[in-house]
Amino acid sequence: MRSNIIKDGPKGAPARALLYGIGYTKEEIDRPLIGIVNAHNEIIAGHMHLDRIAQAAKIGVAMAGGTPIEFPAIGICDGIAMGHQGMRYPLASRELIADSIESVAMAHGFDGLVLIPNCDKIVPGMIMAAARLNIPSVVVSGGPMRTGFYKGETLDFSSIIEKVGAFQDHQISSEELEEVAKRACPGCGSCSGLFTANSMNCLAEALGLALPYNGTALADSGERIQLAKYAGMQVMECVKKDIKPLDILTLDAFKNAITVDMAMAGSTNTVLHLPAIAHEAGISLSLDLFDEISQKTPYLTKLSPSGTHHMEDLHQAGGIPALMNELCKKGLIQTEALTVTGKTIKENIQNKTIQDNTIIRSIDNPYHNTGGLAILRGNLAPDGAVVKESAVAKEMLHHEGPARVFDSEEDAVAAIFGGQIRKGDVIVIRYEGPKGGPGMREMLSPTSAIAGMGLDKDVALLTDGRFSGATRGAAIGHISPEAMEEGLIALIEEGDRIHIDIPNKKLEVKLTEQEIAERRKAFVKPEPKVTKGYLARYARLVTSASTGAVLK
């Protein structure tokens, strides 16, 4: 056992003394020590119940003969951080989460970990730590929230954001806005659409680091508590069989995750997080691989914000096991990949069939023959840009219009709400990338304002920042190189013609090479927005969005 290094023999007596002081018995100290990494807090709706999940996981560990020892991880709510300076922190917190788990686990010699995240950056942060540490680990998330309802309308977090735009456009009253706010997020769990949190919880399952149905079993269900108990029991099996994260996180596992991502049109943020996890596993995931898999993967589910279904619907239709089993029919899943169950993907998903073809379509009747995310390139994004193609109105798949240029999200939102944006415009928001933001803020406020004001079929938005999984419309993010690294997006001027061709994966500004050279010669890089504290250090170390925004 790894923990023997801290607790065995005469030199382990001081550590044993401290453990006795906590109240552990000799029998507990002698067993494998399993870290229960709990991101419970009272500021994130998706995390407010993780104390119950952690308690269940601890019961599972103890049932299987281990000693569970809980320690915390931080978490930031993207929804609360949205639209102000606080949004600089969520992506940057991913590295803090991974670093802190590494620190605690290494310092205390844990034999295994049960990782309990639920929302956006916490999930990849914990998985990055698992890959880095490479000790037996099982992920069990807190599960998705139920949908809300108002006047017969199904609600989720994106509903309230878009209602703000509708209110600003005088389509609804302040009273109705408040009623929707009260009902959009009815309880615990990660917000009920296929936003970043639920995307990543599903992909943890596809990667093989979480048990089946981790992504879809509801937060407030007995099934979720059972899943946590089984996760605790299963980490003990992984300890006994010495099944470690790097045995699971192979290239085949990442191909499976990308395939599932494309088949369900997950959040564009997955294109940041999967390469970052792969980086910790010593694997390079290029945007070309995402594009290659997208070209051959049919789009089989249409969940919010791309459609009207939610996570509870996906669960009732068979969840990720049924989706993966359907993808197997055309050989799209690497079925021999190992998982934390000790079995292969093939063994986990066999006989898991679709229960409702209106929610998960047959592979012979997809919504689209290619995946829900697209990678765009061109002179404006030579290193790539990302769009959730499935959430783009057909009128905007091909678009050309004049650039409306803003050097911050706040300036763009003020222009949208101020009626300064016209049909056909292409909004460009720059200096919001990993370095320029710093922290690569999500642009849900401007995209939702556009949608709420009924302009999502007429206006495109480009940014070197990123988007919430709740975003819909012609919202193209992760433009690389970013403005702060002197990418062409930094040289765009008001009125430049922007050409967007999503089906053909093109993103260009119509400038000649001579015009670009003249502008580059005159370019002066702005001063950093943040010059002290963690974000300043982050900005110095972070790499491009095209490489997952990992730290050097």
Side-chain angles (χ1 to χ4, degrees), residues 361-377:
R361 285 198 174 186
S362 153
I363 202 161
D364 296 319
N365 182 36
Y367 286 103
H368 201 274
N369 288 322
T370 57
L373 301 180
I375 306 300
L376 310 185
R377 294 186 188 270

Side-chain angles (χ1 to χ4, degrees), residues 484-505:
M484 205 64 177
E485 291 192 320
E486 302 181 35
L488 187 53
I489 188 173
L491 307 182
I492 294 175
E493 296 177 359
E494 193 82 5
D496 286 348
R497 302 293 294 182
I498 305 290
H499 178 71
I500 300 167
D501 184 350
I502 294 174
N504 290 305
K505 312 294 190 290

Side-chain angles (χ1 to χ4, degrees), residues 14 22 255 287 305 369 371 476:
I22 295 170
K255 287 180 178 179
L287 294 185
N369 288 322
I476 300 169

Side-chain angles (χ1 to χ4, degrees), residues 56-65 114 138 211 226-240 340:
K58 288 194 283 188
I59 290 170
V61 168
M63 287 169 61
V114 177
V138 177
L211 299 178
Q226 293 168 31
L227 193 69
K229 290 177 181 175
Y230 284 126
M233 296 165 70
Q234 197 57 45
V235 76
M236 290 300 298
E237 284 297 306
C238 290
V239 169
K240 291 171 187 173
V340 289

